[in-house]
Structure formats: structure tokens, C-alpha cells
Amino acid sequence: VYLATDERFGSKVAIKETLCMDASFRKAIEREARLLNSLKHAALPRVTDHFEEKNSQYLVMEFIPGEDLG
């Protein structure tokens, strides 16, 4: 997960990278992105975008500041 700045709005966002394995895995990540985008709950970050680049897929989501659980 990376901290980034949304170039359109200037806000901080979190970008989650997922390495793509095959076509079915890509479709599963797309379904996850659509599902997460439709969910509205205080305990979940809002997903605002999804894209693929090279051999990875990315979810762009609301950045929630706090301590790293690691």
C-alpha cells in the first residue's frame, strides 16, 4: 500500500498494489474493486478508482491516517 496524492483533487489517497497472476485473478480484483466501491461503512475506506498497469492492478482508496499494524 502506498501513500499518494490525487492529482485531480490534491487529496491524500492510499494505493493498494496487487500483482496480477492470470485473467481470472484480474477479473476477481475488478469484482473486488466494484464491490468495495459500492460499500458505505465507517470502518471501510472508500474505493474511488481501479486501474491496471504492466503486470499489476491498483485500488485507489481513501487514506485513513493511523498507526501501521505491522
Side-chain angles (χ1 to χ4, degrees):
V1 177
Y2 303 96
L3 175 62
T5 301
D6 184 313
E7 292 180 352
R8 206 173 310 152
F9 301 112
S11 58
K12 288 184 181 179
V13 295
I15 300 180
K16 178 182 175 185
E17 178 182 22
T18 304
L19 300 176
C20 297
M21 303 292 187
D22 58 23
S24 64
F25 190 68
R26 283 185 179 95
K27 288 183 186 282
I29 297 298
E30 270 185 53
R31 283 192 305 272
E32 177 186 3
R34 287 195 173 116
L35 174 65
L36 290 172
N37 177 261
S38 70
L39 297 175
K40 311 293 185 261
H41 191 279
L44 297 173
R46 170 133 173 134
V47 172
T48 58
D49 200 3
H50 166 260
F51 63 95
E52 185 174 334
E53 188 171 297
K54 297 185 182 177
N55 200 30
S56 295
Q57 288 194 354
Y58 299 87
L59 292 178
V60 181
M61 60 188 82
E62 170 188 15
F63 172 69
I64 300 173
E67 293 295 316
D68 183 334
L69 296 176

